[in-house]
């Protein structure tokens, strides 16, 4: 499978606005270009735009085929999220959780059938941390507490909150599922990047959740289809890392576009006439494309292994996690470098690189993509146990 890194034609179309007609991936990107500033201001992607993402298949891309879904190979889904993120990182972040239905494949089949009864386009959002105590009851668990970082919760059809695991979960936490009317959304989200993700807090008060409406995060799936044999937590890390790649691509496109025409207020040569600017842009291009190529290469390799009926190995998982963490770090470094070589212009809060820098920071800081992942991956590749809980 080939993944090109050329500037996507639909992004150029998106920048010029959208017209009428059938909903296509390109028309959704065009509408996103028109509305993204509003999403940042209101701090979430609204339900009507989530509905458009449903129409172009984002929220059936990880629904089991047995329930009407159209599961995509991971690299194909990642490419779509990257393309959305070039236009707006926040919307790419929210759309990336279309992959989170792989978690739900660990639910009992009867529960999944109920979830997908109205159709395969299901939006799941979760505030999984901090894991809150949930005393067991005769039927399930008594859930009470407050959870953070529930990205996309405003437009979700089903919500999840993190509760402890037990001896039966192998140390992994559980997630309890709830309907939106059972949860209070507290709109606290004041951040420098991904402002439009609506990563609000979830509050649940003294509610019993049946055991069959909980699942082990990263637990063994009850669905036997190829996508659910792909490493679950690694995939969850990949979909976030590729958002950073899209943001960095947008920053590079901006730097290359304005470099040829921008002259500083001091009367100095325009940016493209300065050797350090040309060099900085070229180095950033090389770094992003290299990290991105490895990221997609290892995804295709592991997917081919799964399709052949073989199990992904610990080493496969380590490479997936490492490539994702490396891409997130590289993307953030690329945007930082472009800010550095752009003179005084990015000190203004309205400068495009300023918002992109904040957006690129968020994936790199995520627990799935932080510095500990390099240590854990290195340990596995040298035949040692992973140094980070839940690495696989």
């Amino acid at each position: 499978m080939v993944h090109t890194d050329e500037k996507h034609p639909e992004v150029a179309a998106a920048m010029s606005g959208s017209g009428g007609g059938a909903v296509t991936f390109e028309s959704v990107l065009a509408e996103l270009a028109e509305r993204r500033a509003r999403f940042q201001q209101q701090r979430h992607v609204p339900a009507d735009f989530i509905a458009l993402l449903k129409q172009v298949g984002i929220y059936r891309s990880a629904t089991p085929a047995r329930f009407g879904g159209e599961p995509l190979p991971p690299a194909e889904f990642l490419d779509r999220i990257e393309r959305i993120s070039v236009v707006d990182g926040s919307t790419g972040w929210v759309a990336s959780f279309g992959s989170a239905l792989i978690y739900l494949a660990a639910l009992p089949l009867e529960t999944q059938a109920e979830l997908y009864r109205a159709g395969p386009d299901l939006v799941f959002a979760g505030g999984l941390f901090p894991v809150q105590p949930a005393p067991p009851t005769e039927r399930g668990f008594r859930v009470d507490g407050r959870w953070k970082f529930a990205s996309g919760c405003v437009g979700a059809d089903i919500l999840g909150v993190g509760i402890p695991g037990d001896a039966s979960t192998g140390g992994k936490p559980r997630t309890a599922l709830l309907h939106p009317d059972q949860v209070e959304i507290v709109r606290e989200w004041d951040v420098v990047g991904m402002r439009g993700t609506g990563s609000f807090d979830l509050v649940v008060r003294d509610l019993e959740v049946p055991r069959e409406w909980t699942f082990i995060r990263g637990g063994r799936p009850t669905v036997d289809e190829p996508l659910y044999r792909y490493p679950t937590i690694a995939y969850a890390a990949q979909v976030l890392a590729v958002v950073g790649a899209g943001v960095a691509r947008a920053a590079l496109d901006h730097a290359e576009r304005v470099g040829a025409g921008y002259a500083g207020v001091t009367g100095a040569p325009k940016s493209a006439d300065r050797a350090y600017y040309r060099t900085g842009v070229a180095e950033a291009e090389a770094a992003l494309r290299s990290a991105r190529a490895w990221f997609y290469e290892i995804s295709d390799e592991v997917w081919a292994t799964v399709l052949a009926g073989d199990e992904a190995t610990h080493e496969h998982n380590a490479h997936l996690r490492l490539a994702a963490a490396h891409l997130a770090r590289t993307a953030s470094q690329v945007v930082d470098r472009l800010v550095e070589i752009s003179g005084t212009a990015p000190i203004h809060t309205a400068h495009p690189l300023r918002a992109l820098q904040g957006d690129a920071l968020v994936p790199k800081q995520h627990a799935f993509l932080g510095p500990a992942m390099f240590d854990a991956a290195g340990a596995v590749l040298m035949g040692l146990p992973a140094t980070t809980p839940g690495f696989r």
Side-chain angles (χ1 to χ4, degrees), residues 65-76:
R66 67 179 294 163
F67 297 117
E70 299 172 2
L72 285 179
E76 289 188 26

Side-chain angles (χ1 to χ4, degrees), residues 224-290:
D224 185 19
E225 295 179 17
L227 182 60
Y228 314 104
R229 297 194 290 270
Y230 191 86
T232 303
I233 305 299
Y235 194 25
Q238 286 184 293
V239 300
L240 302 180
V242 83
V243 174
V247 171
R249 177 73 264 161
L252 271 163
D253 289 351
H254 171 83
E256 293 166 6
R257 184 172 61 252
V258 304
Y262 175 75
V265 296
T266 63
K270 62 186 178 183
S271 297
D273 289 335
R274 306 177 194 186
Y276 71 82
Y277 190 88
R278 296 192 300 269
T279 301
V281 168
E283 290 174 342
E285 276 281 4
L288 180 63
R289 287 175 180 262
S290 298

Side-chain angles (χ1 to χ4, degrees), residues 131-302:
V131 171
Q132 300 286 2
T137 66
E138 185 176 344
R139 296 181 59 239
F141 301 92
R142 181 67 60 182
V143 176
D144 186 281
R146 181 166 176 162
W147 294 262
K148 304 190 74 64
F149 302 118
S151 301
C153 60
V154 172
D157 301 310
I158 194 77
L159 296 167
V161 295
I163 62 175
D166 52 35
S168 69
T169 70
K172 297 178 179 178
R174 289 184 182 272
T175 299
L177 296 182
L178 305 120
H179 294 288
D181 60 4
Q182 297 175 301
V183 180
E184 176 190 358
I185 295 175
V186 181
R187 302 196 179 206
E188 291 188 1
W189 185 239
D190 185 13
V191 290
V192 299
M194 301 292 178
R195 290 182 58 84
T197 59
S199 301
F200 303 133
D201 292 5
L202 302 181
V203 176
V204 179
R205 292 302 179 207
D206 195 29
L207 187 69
E208 186 179 37
V209 178
R211 182 175 291 270
E212 64 269 21
W213 283 86
T214 72
F215 63 87
I216 302 168
R217 189 164 61 85
R220 183 175 295 277
T222 57
V223 176
D224 185 19
E225 295 179 17
L227 182 60
Y228 314 104
R229 297 194 290 270
Y230 191 86
T232 303
I233 305 299
Y235 194 25
Q238 286 184 293
V239 300
L240 302 180
V242 83
V243 174
V247 171
R249 177 73 264 161
L252 271 163
D253 289 351
H254 171 83
E256 293 166 6
R257 184 172 61 252
V258 304
Y262 175 75
V265 296
T266 63
K270 62 186 178 183
S271 297
D273 289 335
R274 306 177 194 186
Y276 71 82
Y277 190 88
R278 296 192 300 269
T279 301
V281 168
E283 290 174 342
E285 276 281 4
L288 180 63
R289 287 175 180 262
S290 298
R292 185 181 178 278
W294 178 36
F295 175 84
Y296 280 107
E297 175 188 300
I298 187 61
S299 183
D300 285 337
E301 179 183 324
V302 177

Side-chain angles (χ1 to χ4, degrees), residues 323-336:
H326 177 62
L327 180 61
R329 175 187 284 183
T330 300
S332 183
Q333 291 173 338
V334 160
V335 184
D336 287 346

Side-chain angles (χ1 to χ4, degrees), residues 297-314:
E297 175 188 300
I298 187 61
S299 183
D300 285 337
E301 179 183 324
V302 177
W303 181 242
T305 298
V306 168
L307 286 181
D310 298 322
E311 185 175 354
T313 65
H314 290 297

